[in-house]
Amino acid sequence: MNGSLLTVRGLSAAYRSTAVLHGVDIDVRQGGITALLGANGAGKTTLLRAVSHALVKTCGSIEFDGKRIDGLSTDSIARLGVAHVPDGRGTFAQLTVEENLLVGAIARQGRVQVRADLGRMYALFPVLGTYRHKMAGLLSGGEQQMVAIARSLMLRPRLLMLDEPSFGLAPLIVRQIFEVLGQINRDSGLSILVVEQNAQLALDLADHAYVLEMGRVAISGSAETLKTDPRVRAAYLGI
Ligand SMILES: Nc1ncnc2c1ncn2[C@@H]1O[C@H](COP(=O)(O)OP(=O)(O)OP(=O)(O)O)[C@@H](O)[C@H]1O
Ligand SMILES: [Mg+2]
């Protein structure tokens, strides 16, 4: 694929003796938004973990911006510009909102720029500005999801990977979060790989999508094509 930022080829992944992914090929276009759909247990979370080289053993090739990253440490992959907002968010409950965001910038030099980026985050998510001195653990689920996303953005990533950002949140908050994701993508060209159970939401945001079934890509194509695919409509859109 032309202009591919993330290129995954023949990816297999396993936890100890449990093989989960079996020869997966996936691309995220430079500046694009790719959605990853699939039933519970299909291997979506595992795919993101494989890209970040966290918790799983992998084989196959993963290229980021034309360079192999499979085999690198999780930390090195993050420093190259791959941010991962895991499922369950993982905010630091005992730190304030602002301290959480500063943790995201820990690998960066340049305090002035970091300060400016804090301001950008509060402009994107005004509620985080209001609560910047509040313990993250005291925020609502939706606000904590915003903290997790903002913290990842503080790394100034080139690829943002999100694992079910809508999980357990009220529709209004979900809409806000997805609007911000679309805005960042349009304004700064940040590429996004988003795992979602909410297929409608994901296909509205994304330009390209993959459906994983039992560790294999079962369906792929443009988001518009997938919206009209009878299998996707029946299994994931409830139409
Ligand atoms: N840490 C782990 N150790 C062993 N097996 C695991 C581990 N994490 C996940 N698995 C197994 O790997 C398979 C794929 O899990 P994964 O979490 O990637 O699915 P998923 O598509 O993200 O599902 P969900 O929609 O429920 O989040 C499942 O069978 C699961 O039981
Ligand atoms: Mg998952």
Side-chain angles (χ1 to χ4, degrees):
M1 186 202 255
N2 264 348
S4 180
L5 179 64
L6 182 75
T7 313
V8 172
R9 291 292 175 269
L11 179 68
S12 297
Y15 299 97
R16 292 174 185 264
S17 56
T18 317
V20 175
L21 298 179
H22 312 278
V24 170
D25 295 349
I26 274 182
D27 290 277
V28 179
R29 199 170 53 76
Q30 190 88 244
I33 303 183
T34 295
L36 195 56
L37 312 175
N40 294 123
K44 306 179 298 296
T45 294
T46 301
L47 194 142
L48 297 194
R49 286 179 181 156
V51 173
S52 289
H53 200 187
L55 297 166
V56 277
K57 277 216 186 91
T58 66
C59 98
S61 88
I62 305 174
E63 279 185 11
F64 178 67
D65 199 17
K67 289 182 217 70
R68 289 283 289 259
I69 59 165
D70 48 281
L72 298 184
S73 69
T74 303
D75 191 47
S76 312
I77 293 168
R79 280 168 197 262
L80 285 173
V82 179
H84 185 169
V85 182
D87 54 349
R89 293 156 204 146
T91 46
F92 298 106
Q94 304 296 323
L95 298 184
T96 66
V97 167
E98 187 147 304
E99 286 165 346
N100 266 275
L101 300 195
L102 290 171
V103 169
I106 218 152
R108 288 177 49 192
Q109 311 288 324
R111 287 172 49 94
V112 176
Q113 272 194 341
V114 168
R115 282 275 141 204
D117 281 356
L118 277 180
R120 269 181 59 223
M121 293 310 132
Y122 298 147
L124 285 172
F125 300 108
V127 69
L128 299 189
T130 308
Y131 292 146
R132 62 178 174 273
H133 299 307
K134 200 166 167 177
M135 295 284 184
L138 300 177
L139 301 187
S140 73
E143 290 158 357
Q144 290 195 37
Q145 182 63 258
M146 293 177 194
V147 171
I149 294 171
R151 191 180 69 200
S152 293
L153 292 172
M154 289 296 289
L155 178 73
R156 290 217 163 192
R158 297 178 57 204
L159 174 67
L160 179 64
M161 301 196 299
L162 302 143
D163 197 345
E164 300 209 35
S166 77
F167 188 78
L169 306 184
L172 186 65
I173 294 275
V174 169
R175 210 174 315 135
Q176 274 177 21
I177 290 176
F178 272 67
E179 270 169 21
V180 169
L181 293 174
Q183 187 187 333
I184 302 167
N185 169 261
R186 285 190 302 276
D187 294 352
S188 66
L190 176 69
S191 306
I192 296 176
L193 175 58
V194 59
V195 165
E196 256 302 331
Q197 289 280 344
N198 186 332
Q200 184 71 56
L201 198 64
L203 292 175
D204 283 343
L205 179 74
D207 52 78
H208 205 86
Y210 296 85
V211 178
L212 273 188
E213 279 174 13
M214 297 171 76
R216 292 185 168 84
V217 173
I219 309 169
S220 70
S222 74
E224 289 309 314
T225 310
L226 261 69
K227 276 184 197 171
T228 59
D229 184 305
R231 294 167 296 172
V232 174
R233 286 166 73 86
Y236 301 102
L237 295 173
I239 300 172

